[in-house]
Amino acid sequence: MYELFKPWLFRQDPETIHERVMHGLAWLGQRGPGLEPIRLFFSLRDPRLEVTAFGLRFPNPIGLAAGFDKNAAAVRTWAALGFGHVEVGSVTARPQPGNPRPRLFRLPQDQALINRMGFNNEGAEAIARRLERLQQTFGRPPVPLGINLGKSKITPLEEAPQDYLQSLSRLWPYGDYFAINVSSPNTPGLRALQDKERLEELLAALTGFVQGRKPLLLKIAPDLTWEQIDEILGLVEDYRLAGLIATNTTTARTGLQTPIDQAGGLSGRPLRARSLEVLKYLHQQLGGRLPIVSVGGIFSAEDVWERLENGATLVQVYTGLVYEGPLMMKKLCRGLLERMEREGLRSLTELRSTP
């Protein structure tokens, strides 16, 4: 069915369609028991797919990446669609409109997107109030909720720790884990926070607040050198972060079939090879000491399996969902179960990688 609608959808402005979809998903999320038919049709639950990571239990290893639901508008609906976890945001301390439109571009030939959204979101206060209302009405979300935190555009780099802390403290009651986003290419200067001195200052401030009470993860860029990654890994272990998310979008344009000259972060199939390469390197360097959430170019159950057997504990999708549609999660979970049966595995916990 989605394949029938996709040509029409792809003729519309990408951000306009995204906003309409989010509005519909948010409306569904307020329907209470009305979500049950959606869950029955779109999701596949099986205890063999369950995964435990950083002290949390996930019904399956596949989550929604940050950026799709920036304002935590449809948390319950994502769970009904079969996602094993949901990462909302990026959320900034201050509300901000993001970069001027147009700022989202499809590359169908490449099964890719380019975005330069610029952390458009309603801000930590408004999103905290929404999550509070959600909990009061329906209880905690049925799957782990991650909250991805970014820096407000108007905040100088020197004040970044205080900016992130403001968001973290306000959203603290609602997230099951928190992700520090210092790797988006669409906020001027943000990636400078991956430099050792600035990152150490930021991690010191945030881990001082968290004190091990909830998982804190770091999301890194695919465009780092191995030396930069090694520096980051040293800090991640020194400050006892719970895990890494790898990777964000890339500024590279290597191998694109689509002739396009637009700034921003590239996601989708062209990111697959680099994301997998970074995953393998992280797994080799860490030796299984920290969970890795792998993101970038995941479209099929084979893609998910490849990430899991190369060291990922969890994976996340974004662009794949745009191209594959709302039945994507059911297809991925079914594909994983079929692969497990062929491999003779009774659960995903039996799938182990050797660094």
Side-chain angles (χ1 to χ4, degrees):
M1 183 67 73
Y2 184 69
E3 290 302 315
L4 294 176
F5 281 105
K6 193 161 70 171
W8 178 82
L9 290 172
F10 277 30
R11 286 195 294 269
Q12 316 304 313
D13 172 71
E15 189 168 355
T16 300
I17 286 294
H18 182 86
E19 289 170 345
R20 290 175 181 170
V21 167
M22 285 306 308
H23 180 77
L25 294 175
W27 180 83
L28 286 171
Q30 300 301 315
R31 303 282 70 79
L35 274 177
E36 185 62 14
I38 293 172
R39 186 188 69 79
L40 291 173
F41 184 76
F42 286 100
S43 68
L44 193 164
R45 295 292 292 265
D46 191 300
R48 291 174 292 174
L49 295 174
E50 290 180 2
V51 175
T52 300
F54 31 88
L56 300 174
R57 196 179 190 106
F58 299 80
N60 66 63
I62 310 157
L64 181 73
F68 210 107
D69 190 351
K70 291 177 177 292
N71 294 309
V75 172
R76 296 183 68 248
T77 312
W78 297 120
L81 289 172
F83 285 90
H85 68 279
V86 180
E87 190 171 310
V88 299
S90 295
V91 183
T92 55
R94 302 166 184 261
Q96 54 186 44
N99 295 320
R101 299 191 186 201
R103 54 193 180 181
L104 180 62
F105 309 90
R106 299 188 200 94
L107 289 68
Q109 284 181 280
D110 299 284
Q111 291 192 294
L113 298 172
I114 290 175
N115 92 82
R116 51 170 179 266
M117 305 300 287
F119 287 167
N120 54 306
N121 74 105
E122 297 172 3
E125 179 62 36
I127 292 169
R129 289 199 301 267
R130 177 173 294 114
L131 290 171
E132 182 179 21
R133 290 193 300 271
L134 183 73
Q135 284 196 18
Q136 289 173 346
T137 306
F138 300 108
R140 292 195 66 84
V143 298
L145 175 64
I147 302 179
N148 186 293
L149 304 177
K151 183 186 77 67
S152 304
K153 184 176 181 178
I154 64 172
T155 300
L157 286 177
E158 295 74 22
E159 298 173 18
Q162 293 77 19
D163 189 81
Y164 281 87
L165 272 173
Q166 183 178 337
S167 300
L168 178 61
S169 59
R170 183 64 185 91
L171 293 160
W172 182 254
Y174 311 110
D176 294 302
Y177 75 86
F178 292 86
I180 311 165
N181 188 349
V182 292
S183 51
S184 169
N186 300 318
T187 295
L190 184 77
R191 285 189 167 186
L193 291 174
Q194 294 176 121
D195 296 344
K196 185 177 181 181
E197 185 176 331
R198 291 192 187 277
L199 183 58
E200 183 163 18
E201 182 183 8
L202 178 62
L203 294 184
L206 296 180
T207 55
F209 174 86
V210 172
Q211 294 185 345
R213 293 174 291 163
K214 287 186 178 182
L216 187 65
L217 287 74
L218 181 69
K219 187 167 187 175
I220 64 171
D223 308 310
L224 297 166
T225 66
W226 301 131
E227 292 77 13
Q228 288 173 312
I229 289 177
D230 287 340
E231 284 188 347
I232 289 171
L233 288 179
L235 292 175
V236 164
E237 295 205 89
D238 287 347
Y239 285 92
R240 298 186 178 183
L241 267 62
L244 283 164
I245 304 176
T247 62
N248 213 316
T249 57
T250 180
T251 56
R253 298 291 187 265
T254 307
L256 289 183
Q257 299 177 49
T258 308
I260 189 166
D261 183 20
Q262 295 289 349
L266 175 72
S267 61
R269 283 208 186 274
L271 183 56
R272 177 187 171 277
R274 178 57 180 171
S275 178
L276 180 59
E277 185 180 28
V278 172
L279 168 65
K280 290 178 177 179
Y281 185 81
L282 291 173
H283 183 55
Q284 179 182 30
Q285 297 300 99
L286 289 168
R289 294 190 299 275
L290 282 177
I292 305 167
V293 183
S294 186
V295 198
I298 294 173
F299 282 69
S300 67
E302 290 75 21
D303 293 331
V304 176
W305 189 271
E306 184 177 40
R307 303 301 171 97
L308 297 177
E309 68 179 356
N310 279 287
T313 303
L314 302 168
V315 303
Q316 293 178 342
V317 299
Y318 182 138
T319 305
L321 180 62
V322 172
Y323 284 92
E324 297 297 316
L327 278 169
M328 182 186 194
M329 283 301 302
K330 194 168 193 175
K331 293 175 184 176
L332 295 183
C333 289
R334 183 181 292 123
L336 285 180
L337 289 169
E338 290 172 356
R339 180 66 181 266
M340 290 167 64
E341 290 173 1
R342 292 200 300 270
E343 300 286 341
L345 301 180
R346 292 166 297 179
S347 72
L348 280 181
T349 58
E350 297 179 11
L351 178 59
R352 290 290 180 264
S353 309
T354 303

